[in-house]
Amino acid sequence: MEKALAIDTRDLTKSYGRSRGICNLDLQVEAGDFFGFIGPNGAGKSTTIRTLLGLIRPTSGSASVLGYDIVSGKEKILLHTGYLPSEIHFYPHMKVRDAIRYSADLRKADCGKRAEELCRRLDLDPGRKVDDLSLGNRKKVGIICAVQHHPDMLILDEPTSGLDPLMQKEFFTILQEENQRGATIFFSSHILSEVQAYCRSAAFIKDGKILLADKVGNLEQTGTRKVCVIGEVEREKLAALPGVTFTDSAGAAADAGTNAAGTTATGTEANTYGAASSDTHDGSAGGCTSALSFLYNGDIQRLLSALAQEKIKDITITEPSLEEIFMHYYEN
Amino acid sequence: MTILKQEIKSQKMAILIWSLSIGLLIGMCVLMYPEMESQMGSVNEMFSKMGSFTSAFGMDRLNFGTLVGFYAVEGGNMLGIGGAFFAAIIGISALMKEEHDHTAEFLFAHPVSRVRVITEKLLSIFANIVILNIIVLLLSIGSILLIGEEIFWKELLLFHLAYLLMQFQIAGICFGVSAFLVRGGLGIGIGIAGLMYFLNIVANISDSARFLKYITAFGYTETADIINNGKLEIRYLIPGMAMMVIGIICAYGKYTKKDLR
C-alpha cells in the first residue's frame, strides 16, 4: 500500500514578474520521511517552502501539506507544522523565553517543560535578550519554536547555517527523535554531506524545477560510477565513450581547449595523468588521488576495453557521492 | 488576543512617553493660566488683530480670557498635533513593521489567519490611542483642579472625544496604507497627519477652501465650533469616519492576499 503524502505539489508555479520563482513543480514527500531539498542559491528552495506555508500565494497549480490544501487549509497546516526560516528574526526587546512562550501561546500550547529541555540541550540561556544573540543562537531559538509543540511536519530552510558542528549534531539528533516519533522532516540545504548523512529521500531543484527526486540510496546507486585513473591516458578516447562526464579540473580545462597536463608519452594530443605529475590533485569526495576522474554511466565492459589500450598504473571504480551527482546535474 | 497583548506590551514605553509629553505640556499651559488671566484682555485684543492667523486657529471665535477658551486653543493644538502624529506612526507601522523587521516569517509560521492578525493589530492601535487619551485627559483634569478652577465637563469631554475620533481616523487611513508598504512608511504617516493639520488651517483661513473641512480629520475637532454649538460637527465627522472605514477595508483587502517578504 502506498504511504500517505505529507507534501504533494502538482504543477505548482510561483512567478514574480520577470524573475523566476518555481515552475510546474511536482514534488511528493511521503509521511514520516526525512527529506532533503537540495539546490544552489536562488534555485527556488525558499520560494517552494514559503508557498507551501502560505506566506506567498501560488500563481498556478496546487499543493497540499499533511492532506490540507495550501490555500484553503493554511491554518490547519500551520497548526501541525513547525517552520524554521533561513534567517529568523524576533521582536526587539524580547527575551529568549518570551519569544519561545509567545510562539507557544500563538499555538495555544503549553510547552514550558519541553522548551526548558530544548534550551538545555542546545545550550541556550533563556534569560538573554534576542537582540543580543548571534545568528547561531537566534537559530537555536527558532529551532525550539519550531519543535517544542511536537509537530507532525517540520519544514526547515537551511537550518544548520550559523550553528557550530557540535550544535549541528545535537540539532540533527533532535530531528531524528522527532522523525522516529512520526514527524515528517523536510529541510532545504546546499550542504550535501548532511543530506547524505541524515535523509532517506532527496530532491534536486534548479531554476525552479525539480531535476531529480528519489531515495538517497537510489540516488547514490544510479548505475553511475566514479572512475579514477592513474597513468597515461588519451583523454579524447575516453571522451568519445558515451556516458563519460569529466569531473576533474584538468579535464574541465581540457574541455575548454587548454592543454592542462603537458606533453604526452605518445606524442599525441592525449594528456598524461599520474600520481607523480605536478598537475596531480586530490579527487573530491571519492577519496581518489588521481588527477583524472570522471563519472561513467554506460557499459562497463566497453570502458574496460577502452582503458585496456592505455598505459594505466591504477584504477578505482566507486559509487559517486551525492555531491558529485549534484555537481553532475548542475554543471550539465 | 495573544497578538493584541504583545502589540500593547511592545508599545508601552512609546505610549507612556507620548502620553506624558502631550499631557504634561497641556498641564503646564493650564498651570500658567492664572498668571496669564490678568493679561488676557490685552492678549485677546492682540490676537484679534492678527488677521488670517487669528482665524487659522479659531481664535476669532474663542474667548482667550476664559479657561475654556484658553484650553481650547492651547490644549487643542497640542493634543491635535501630538495625537495626530502618534496615531499616524502606530497606524502606519502596525502591519508594515512585520515585513520591515523580518518578523513576518516568524508570526505567520504560526496557525494565525491574516484576518486575525489584522484585527488584533487594529484593536491594539485603537487600545493604544484610548490609553494615550485617557492619560492626557487625566493629566488635564488634574492640572485644572490644581489651579482651583471649575471643570467645564461638557466642553472638555467633547474636545477629547473629537480628538480621539480624529486619531482613530488618521490611524485607520494610515493602517490601510500600511498594508501596501514594506518600508518607508513612517514619513508617509507623518506626512498624512501633517497634511491634514495644514489643510484645516487653510480651510479656516479661506472661505473658498472651506470644503477641505470634509477631507481633513481636524474639521470636527474645531474647538470654537464645539464650544459655540455644544456638539461635534456631524457633517465633518461622517466623511472622516467613512475615510477611516475605507482605510481599514483596504487593509483587510490587501493584507489577506499579500505575498509576505
Side-chain angles (χ1 to χ4, degrees):
Chain A
M1 202 177 92
E2 270 192 25
K3 267 190 139 182
L5 293 175
I7 295 176
D8 185 14
T9 76
R10 306 280 169 186
D11 285 331
L12 190 66
T13 301
K14 176 67 191 176
S15 46
Y16 297 100
R18 280 185 206 167
S19 67
R20 195 170 40 228
I22 50 174
C23 186
N24 298 325
L25 195 88
D26 284 314
L27 177 69
Q28 282 75 41
V29 178
E30 285 183 356
D33 207 348
F34 205 126
F35 198 99
F37 195 41
I38 309 162
N41 294 331
K45 301 190 296 290
S46 295
T47 303
T48 306
I49 288 174
R50 291 165 61 78
T51 310
L52 291 177
L53 292 169
L55 288 162
I56 51 179
R57 291 163 71 89
T59 309
S60 63
S62 64
S64 66
V65 176
L66 299 171
Y68 301 109
D69 182 79
I70 58 165
V71 178
S72 60
K74 197 172 71 180
E75 276 91 63
K76 282 184 179 143
I77 292 171
L78 294 169
L79 184 64
H80 300 286
T81 302
Y83 169 52
L84 176 68
S86 58
E87 280 182 39
I88 189 156
H89 293 266
F90 299 96
Y91 297 98
H93 315 305
M94 264 188 174
K95 286 185 176 170
V96 167
R97 70 164 63 84
D98 299 332
I100 294 169
R101 194 181 300 140
Y102 184 48
S103 174
D105 288 347
L106 286 170
R107 296 184 176 282
K108 298 188 175 75
D110 179 12
C111 315
K113 280 188 183 163
R114 171 80 170 144
E116 260 178 52
E117 178 213 326
L118 290 166
C119 278
R120 206 170 44 249
R121 288 179 67 176
L122 292 170
D123 194 21
L124 185 66
D125 176 3
R128 287 187 68 185
K129 288 221 164 176
V130 287
D131 307 358
D132 303 334
L133 296 181
S134 64
L135 169 68
N137 279 327
R138 274 210 318 272
K139 207 117 204 183
K140 289 179 190 175
V141 184
I143 292 166
I144 295 170
C145 292
V147 304
Q148 64 175 342
H149 58 291
H150 289 306
D152 297 330
M153 173 99 202
L154 264 165
I155 297 181
L156 312 133
D157 195 358
E158 296 183 9
T160 50
S161 59
L163 291 181
D164 64 54
L166 270 179
M167 280 304 131
Q168 286 187 21
K169 190 167 175 289
E170 188 60 35
F171 165 68
F172 277 112
T173 307
I174 292 167
L175 289 192
Q176 282 174 321
E177 288 168 7
E178 289 295 308
N179 186 236
Q180 278 158 17
R181 190 181 52 76
T184 308
I185 315 290
F186 179 85
F187 78 93
S188 77
S189 181
H190 47 239
I191 304 168
L192 291 149
S193 56
E194 63 188 25
V195 173
Q196 197 160 16
Y198 297 103
C199 294
R200 284 196 288 279
S201 311
F204 294 93
I205 181 170
K206 185 187 180 187
D207 296 341
K209 289 179 180 168
I210 298 288
L211 290 182
L212 188 69
D214 207 339
K215 300 282 175 201
V216 170
N218 294 345
L219 289 172
E220 288 169 334
Q221 294 165 5
T222 52
T224 302
R225 293 290 177 268
K226 184 187 179 186
V227 183
C228 303
V229 182
I230 299 171
E232 292 169 21
V233 182
E234 279 192 64
R235 193 182 161 281
E236 281 68 22
K237 274 192 184 173
L238 283 180
L241 279 176
V244 168
T245 311
F246 286 100
T247 58
D248 62 315
S249 59
D255 279 343
T258 311
N259 190 334
T263 321
T264 67
T266 56
T268 69
E269 283 180 17
N271 296 332
T272 303
Y273 300 95
S277 161
S278 60
D279 293 316
T280 303
H281 64 278
D282 277 345
S284 53
C288 176
T289 55
S290 169
L292 179 59
S293 62
F294 54 91
L295 292 179
Y296 183 66
N297 186 16
D299 181 1
I300 201 82
Q301 191 61 49
R302 216 169 152 187
L303 172 70
L304 291 175
S305 303
L307 287 173
Q309 293 165 26
E310 310 294 328
K311 290 180 182 174
I312 60 169
K313 291 178 182 168
D314 198 3
I315 179 168
T316 57
I317 302 177
T318 53
E319 283 183 354
S321 69
L322 207 54
E323 184 157 359
E324 282 157 327
I325 297 170
F326 175 85
M327 294 313 292
H328 168 68
Y329 276 105
Y330 290 113
E331 283 174 0
N332 290 336
Chain B
M1 292 291 117
T2 313
I3 300 164
L4 171 70
K5 273 194 269 179
Q6 163 60 23
E7 286 289 313
I8 293 177
K9 204 172 149 188
S10 70
Q11 300 271 0
K12 66 181 177 201
M13 269 316 276
I15 298 169
L16 201 65
I17 291 168
W18 277 91
S19 307
L20 291 179
S21 303
I22 299 169
L24 291 177
L25 275 171
I26 295 175
M28 275 166 57
C29 285
V30 173
L31 292 179
M32 284 193 298
Y33 174 74
E35 204 178 312
M36 292 174 72
E37 197 179 7
S38 56
Q39 306 155 19
M40 281 307 169
S42 54
V43 171
N44 257 342
E45 197 183 337
M46 183 182 80
F47 279 141
S48 66
K49 289 177 183 164
M50 290 170 72
S52 298
F53 186 81
T54 311
S55 55
F57 295 97
M59 291 185 294
D60 50 340
R61 289 169 292 149
L62 285 169
N63 184 357
F64 216 59
T66 61
L67 179 62
V68 64
F70 178 79
Y71 187 88
V73 175
E74 298 296 340
N77 272 326
M78 279 163 200
L79 186 54
I81 296 171
F85 283 165
F86 173 75
I89 290 168
I90 62 167
I92 203 91
S93 59
L95 293 173
M96 185 195 71
K97 70 179 177 189
E98 294 292 343
E99 287 177 272
H100 182 263
D101 299 344
H102 307 289
T103 49
E105 267 196 321
F106 170 77
L107 178 61
F108 290 100
H110 293 87
V112 288
S113 68
R114 301 263 178 110
V115 169
R116 181 182 154 192
V117 171
I118 299 166
T119 306
E120 292 200 31
K121 279 182 176 280
L122 184 63
L123 290 176
S124 80
I125 290 170
F126 286 156
N128 283 338
I129 290 174
V130 169
I131 292 168
L132 175 128
N133 282 273
I134 287 173
I135 295 173
V136 170
L137 181 61
L138 290 176
L139 286 170
S140 297
I141 291 171
S143 60
I144 295 169
L145 290 175
L146 214 61
I147 60 169
E149 290 279 341
E150 202 174 324
I151 296 170
F152 39 96
W153 284 109
K154 189 186 172 191
E155 289 87 352
L156 186 74
L157 293 177
L158 274 176
F159 289 164
H160 282 267
L161 175 66
Y163 283 106
L164 179 75
L165 294 172
M166 174 273 287
Q167 290 161 44
F168 282 173
Q169 181 187 335
I170 289 180
I173 293 167
C174 290
F175 190 65
V177 175
S178 174
F180 292 83
L181 302 173
V182 176
R183 59 181 66 85
L186 212 59
I188 296 173
I190 290 171
I192 290 172
L195 181 73
M196 288 204 161
Y197 184 76
F198 286 107
L199 284 182
N200 188 52
I201 290 177
V202 172
N204 277 347
I205 293 170
S206 165
D207 279 343
S208 58
R210 187 65 64 179
F211 70 95
L212 291 173
K213 287 264 179 193
Y214 293 97
I215 299 168
T216 168
F218 291 86
Y220 50 87
T221 64
E222 199 63 65
T223 44
D225 293 337
I226 295 172
I227 291 175
N228 294 332
N229 305 334
K231 62 180 175 64
L232 305 186
E233 282 283 355
I234 299 295
R235 61 190 166 134
Y236 301 140
L237 184 62
I238 289 171
M241 292 299 101
M243 284 161 77
M244 177 190 75
V245 171
I246 290 167
I248 293 168
I249 291 170
C250 286
Y252 278 99
K254 173 65 184 172
Y255 207 71
T256 46
K257 294 185 179 70
K258 192 179 187 184
D259 282 348
L260 297 173
R261 294 189 194 179

